[in-house]
């Protein structure tokens, strides 16, 4: 999926292990609260190699689709957008996303999430997409709004971060227009 942006959006590949691990480790404080599992699986280059293999199996099976947001000039992994919790029966999925601090504020995340939403509706034939976000994560809330997601409700204790009590999360949804 090419954009005319300073980033590209593609599936992860084996060559991304070093770049992905570097992204995760250098943004550890940023990601540990809402991306704890992904962070834990990418603390070394070897761990990232295993993570990428797993993500590509899931991608091929259609159970979870993980995309890399890449800086176009360097091909470095700047962030991730994940289409997860895909339920093909009710045609619904969740979109999760993260981006490195040095790439924040460029509009890349909103643009990437919009592209993945479009793919979810067109290619994956889903009808409903969800984003779960913590009330403190203002940048993430803005991404949801930028991409046409509407606030639905607060889900109590929907996310547990390491060494914290379960957190209430805001549910945003977007539906296909068909």
């Amino acid at each position: 999926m090419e954009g005319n942006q300073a980033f590209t959006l593609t599936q992860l590949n084996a060559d991304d292990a070093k770049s992905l691990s570097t992204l995760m480790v250098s943004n550890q404080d940023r990601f540990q609260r809402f991306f704890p599992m992904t962070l834990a699986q990418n603390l070394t280059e070897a761990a990232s190699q295993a993570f990428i293999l797993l993500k590509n199996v899931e991608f091929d099976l259609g159970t979870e689709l993980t995309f890399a947001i890449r800086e176009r000039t360097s091909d470095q992994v700047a962030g991730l957008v994940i289409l997860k919790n895909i339920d093909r029966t009710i045609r619904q999925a969740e979109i999760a996303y993260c981006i490195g601090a040095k790439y924040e504020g460029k509009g890349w995340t909103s643009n990437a999430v919009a592209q993945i939403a479009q793919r979810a509706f067109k290619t994956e034939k889903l009808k409903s997409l969800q984003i779960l976000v913590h009330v403190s994560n203002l940048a993430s809330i803005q991404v949801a709004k930028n991409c046409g997601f509407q606030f639905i409700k607060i889900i109590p204790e929907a996310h547990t971060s390491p060494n914290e009590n379960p957190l209430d999360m805001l549910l945003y949804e977007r539906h296909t227009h068909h």
Side-chain angles (χ1 to χ4, degrees), residues 20-61:
L20 179 59
S21 177
T22 300
L23 172 73
M24 288 293 154
V25 172
S26 64
N27 287 276
Q28 200 156 349
D29 294 344
R30 187 178 167 86
F31 295 156
Q32 66 189 5
R33 203 165 181 214
F34 301 114
F35 261 80
M37 301 295 285
T38 305
L39 174 61
Q41 292 173 292
N42 286 284
L43 293 176
T44 65
E45 188 176 340
S48 286
Q49 287 172 335
F51 177 83
I52 290 166
L53 282 173
L54 172 65
K55 293 299 141 189
N56 284 330
V57 168
E58 292 172 347
F59 202 107
D60 292 343
L61 292 172

Side-chain angles (χ1 to χ4, degrees), residues 92 128-131 148-150 152 171-175:
Q92 178 176 289
S128 157
L129 295 174
Q130 300 183 318
I131 291 175
F149 284 73
Q150 305 293 319
I152 304 296
L171 172 65
Y172 285 80
E173 284 187 357
R174 182 173 155 193
H175 302 274

Side-chain angles (χ1 to χ4, degrees), residues 65-125:
L65 307 182
T66 301
F67 296 89
I69 302 172
R70 307 172 183 281
E71 185 176 30
R72 189 183 286 276
T73 51
S74 67
D75 209 36
Q76 295 295 299
V77 178
L80 298 173
V81 182
I82 305 166
L83 192 64
K84 58 185 261 190
N85 299 329
I86 301 170
D87 184 328
R88 302 218 180 250
T89 309
I90 61 169
R91 292 163 66 183
Q92 178 176 289
E94 180 186 341
I95 297 182
Y97 44 89
C98 64
I99 195 152
K102 74 176 186 177
Y103 304 104
E104 192 178 35
K106 299 173 184 280
W108 293 9
T109 311
S110 291
N111 192 302
V113 168
Q115 287 184 50
I116 296 308
Q118 190 175 15
R119 178 190 168 117
F121 292 138
K122 285 199 165 78
T123 311
E124 305 300 326
K125 306 284 188 244

Side-chain angles (χ1 to χ4, degrees), residues 127-145:
K127 288 194 172 300
S128 157
L129 295 174
Q130 300 183 318
I131 291 175
L132 286 172
V133 58
H134 190 254
V135 68
S136 68
N137 195 341
L138 301 179
S140 190
I141 290 169
Q142 196 54 55
V143 167
K145 289 179 178 175

Side-chain angles (χ1 to χ4, degrees), residues 144-156:
K145 289 179 178 175
N146 289 348
C147 295
F149 284 73
Q150 305 293 319
F151 172 73
I152 304 296
K153 64 181 178 183
I154 296 171
I155 302 180

